[in-house]
Amino acid sequence: MRHVATSDRNFYDRYYFNCFPISGDMMLIIGVGQYPNLGVTDAFALLRRGTAHQVVRASRELGADRMDTSVGPFRVEVIEGLKRLRVVLEECGHGLAFDLTWTGSIPATLEPRHYLRWQERVVFDSTRLAQTGRWEGVIEHGGERIAVTPDRWWGARDRSWGIRPVGEPEPPGIQARNSGTFYWMYAPMQFADHSILAIVQEDEKGRRLLEEAVRVWPDPDREPDFLGRPDYRPVYAPGTRDAVSATIAFTPWDAEPFEVQVTPLLPVHIMVGTGYGLEPDWRHGMYQGEKPVVQGVVHDTEQEADRFWGLVDAAARFTYGEHEGYGLYEYWALGDHPSLRP
């Protein structure tokens, strides 16, 4: 999108991908975004493997060609629209590279519009499509070449666009009076013959701001099954807000209620080093200068444990009845919420 319908500085247009083996011993997360009203495009790749939290990130001026999805060593190629994409990070001296092809397992599915108004200002007004799928290709990390095959390497992707906070920080003004609550769960889960997409967002009083519960089939001619109002019940490690398990209950109007058990396999703190808001010098859409910039960031999740908080994107196992699958379990419990009170 070269010129968008709004002049809001926070307009964005972004790819998100995750890629992990079902063994859950590593997870790769990739993002590529364009910010037309800020004149910036950027990208990141985050690999969590063992205690290593390794990020490669790049930024450049956006320019006029919106079909150019390259950002330094990153690029996204559409092989078959809404079905197959190639995602590449070329070797750039930071110990991580990959050449991966994504194939969707279900049709790309439009999620509910995400709209939030705080202190009279619209801070979220975005649209997103989601899709589960499989990966094939190679990851190179620390001198090791890792084969990625679709029988073992699963994942989810989304493409979203609209308004959400990006770029350099603004003066908070009256927004400083916000409660600071962000109670969120997002779980695109993939099973052998179907996927379930579930979203829950609530405010500090437990009121629903956004929700979705739908079963999607590989056959594009088969209508999705709507699964009613999802009920989300996480279990946290004592004294923390780190989820060790969760239950997501569904109540379809035309079938028996059922519960999906969630087992996180590998937590990945996606806000560390990637631009989601924790570092003042690198945020999505932040102008990094006239010349393209490529950086590498490496942290140790044990030695620097205090650094790792915020939104978690966990590779997870999902089970219900005879079904076992894998997918993304994304959650954050920030601030006050009824479920967190004694």
Side-chain angles (χ1 to χ4, degrees):
M1 305 177 193
R2 182 168 182 179
H3 299 293
V4 297
T6 176
S7 61
D8 193 316
R9 68 186 298 279
N10 289 327
F11 187 92
Y12 78 102
D13 185 5
R14 167 168 289 275
Y15 283 111
Y16 165 94
F17 303 90
N18 64 58
C19 171
F20 57 88
I22 58 176
S23 57
D25 54 353
M26 71 179 76
M27 188 176 190
L28 176 68
I29 299 175
I30 307 153
V32 179
Q34 295 183 350
Y35 313 89
N37 294 338
L38 296 175
V40 172
T41 179
D42 54 28
F44 73 87
L46 161 60
L47 181 68
R48 169 71 194 275
R49 189 181 187 193
T51 63
H53 178 102
Q54 183 163 351
V55 176
V56 178
R57 60 196 188 190
S59 176
R60 66 170 173 85
E61 292 185 351
L62 179 57
D65 185 2
R66 297 297 185 270
M67 297 301 289
D68 181 5
T69 62
S70 65
V71 187
F74 293 89
R75 70 180 184 274
V76 177
E77 301 173 9
V78 177
I79 300 171
E80 181 181 353
L82 301 179
K83 179 67 175 179
R84 298 183 68 232
L85 297 93
R86 183 184 178 204
V87 188
V88 177
L89 170 59
E90 296 176 347
E91 171 56 43
C92 58
H94 292 293
L96 176 63
F98 50 79
D99 188 338
L100 299 167
T101 298
W102 161 271
T103 301
S105 297
I106 60 171
T109 302
L110 191 65
E111 296 180 344
R113 185 174 176 180
H114 194 181
Y115 185 91
L116 288 177
R117 186 188 294 273
W118 291 341
Q119 299 292 345
E120 306 306 322
R121 180 177 180 180
V122 175
V123 291
F124 282 86
D125 186 3
S126 60
T127 302
R128 183 167 64 179
L129 61 84
Q131 190 175 41
T132 58
R134 309 288 180 94
W135 290 97
E136 186 171 9
V138 63
I139 298 172
E140 297 181 10
H141 177 240
E144 183 179 354
R145 188 176 176 88
I146 303 166
V148 175
T149 56
D151 58 325
R152 295 188 62 248
W153 289 78
W154 295 27
R157 80 169 185 108
D158 65 57
R159 175 68 180 267
S160 62
W161 60 95
I163 295 168
R164 72 179 183 191
V166 294
E168 291 80 357
E170 298 179 70
I174 197 171
Q175 297 294 329
R177 291 168 50 187
N178 287 336
S179 67
T181 294
F182 195 84
Y183 190 77
W184 171 264
M185 184 278 300
Y186 177 55
M189 57 193 89
Q190 182 176 178
F191 302 94
D193 63 350
H194 66 281
S195 293
I196 293 176
L197 309 178
I199 305 170
V200 171
Q201 183 179 1
E202 296 180 348
D203 67 10
E204 72 281 1
K205 296 183 178 180
R207 295 174 296 198
R208 284 286 165 97
L209 305 175
L210 180 68
E211 65 180 10
E212 170 80 317
V214 61
R215 183 190 286 116
V216 184
W217 306 91
D219 181 357
D221 294 327
R222 183 171 180 177
E223 287 292 323
D225 298 334
F226 291 93
L227 303 178
R229 186 179 192 270
D231 179 29
Y232 169 53
R233 302 191 296 272
V235 176
Y236 299 112
T240 78
R241 295 187 183 183
D242 300 325
V244 296
S245 67
T247 300
I248 309 173
F250 300 98
T251 54
W253 69 269
D254 57 350
E256 290 295 319
F258 66 97
E259 295 184 345
V260 174
Q261 303 302 319
V262 185
T263 304
L265 302 175
L266 184 69
V268 182
H269 290 79
I270 191 173
M271 297 178 71
V272 179
T274 60
Y276 278 94
L278 292 187
E279 287 83 14
D281 61 339
W282 193 283
R283 296 177 57 173
H284 293 163
M286 179 179 284
Y287 185 56
Q288 299 294 334
E290 184 177 352
K291 295 182 179 180
V293 175
V294 181
Q295 298 179 353
V297 179
V298 180
H299 297 293
D300 187 292
T301 59
E302 290 186 355
Q303 296 180 11
E304 304 174 76
D306 290 346
R307 180 187 293 272
F308 290 89
W309 66 278
L311 187 69
V312 174
D313 275 22
R317 180 186 303 112
F318 298 87
T319 58
Y320 75 99
E322 298 179 351
H323 301 286
E324 179 178 77
Y326 298 87
L328 171 68
Y329 171 50
E330 180 179 86
Y331 70 92
W332 194 9
L334 173 69
D336 189 25
H337 187 266
S339 70
L340 302 169
R341 298 168 191 162

